[in-house]
Amino acid sequence: MRCFIKINVDWTGTFGDFLMPLMRDQRVWYPLYALLLTYVIVKFKWKAVPFILFGVVTVALSDIISSHFLKDFIGRIRPCHEEQLVGIMKLRVGYCPNSGSFTSSHAVNHFSLATFFYLALRPYFKRWALLFFLWAGLIAYAQVYVGVHYPGDVLGGAVLGMLIGILTAYFFRRYFNFQKNPFKKEARI
């Protein structure tokens, strides 16, 4: 709970109060999605279709596991509903969701996509592909900053999301292969 208070109360400011609610709003990221989609379609032509389908499967799988299974199964209360935090924490969005807190679906969804994008597009984006994780990390951090998740919720969501992204990227690379499979060791000559 101390880490949550540090992020939500102590490490805050006017700029963060403006920026962090925007970071978690999916509409802010539409230009990034459109740019990435355009890049993939232009670069890979018909091979973009399986990439897009696997991206959709990645998000669907992560959302089903997080939102429709783990949140109900674990039933952790969100910090914005926690009685011990009344008067201490700051809710920086217009509502406090009634669903469970663990795992953060924002974190699961974005880290699964970041991992999938990273593994599928790393040969083309090189080191820039790491920015997908910065994107997911900002969104996850924003969840704590605005008061709707604990740090453990987003950390657990990040780990779960990365596992899902690894799984979907593995199958994408195995069957549709933009390039050589990173999971398979090549013989050195």
Side-chain angles (χ1 to χ4, degrees), residues 171-184:
F171 284 107
F172 171 75
R173 301 279 302 265
R174 181 173 179 145
Y175 296 107
F176 297 100
N177 202 17
F178 280 163
Q179 69 284 326
K180 293 180 178 155
N181 191 335
F183 298 103
K184 184 177 181 182

Side-chain angles (χ1 to χ4, degrees), residues 23-64:
M23 290 291 101
R24 61 183 300 280
D25 184 346
Q26 67 185 14
R27 294 170 297 186
V28 168
W29 298 103
Y30 286 165
L32 173 67
Y33 303 144
L35 186 63
L36 187 59
L37 185 62
T38 302
Y39 171 82
V40 169
I41 290 170
V42 168
K43 177 105 177 137
F44 302 111
K45 314 284 186 266
W46 67 269
K47 284 186 176 181
V49 173
F51 176 83
I52 293 165
L53 291 175
F54 269 82
V56 169
V57 166
T58 300
V59 172
L61 189 60
S62 65
D63 197 56
I64 288 167

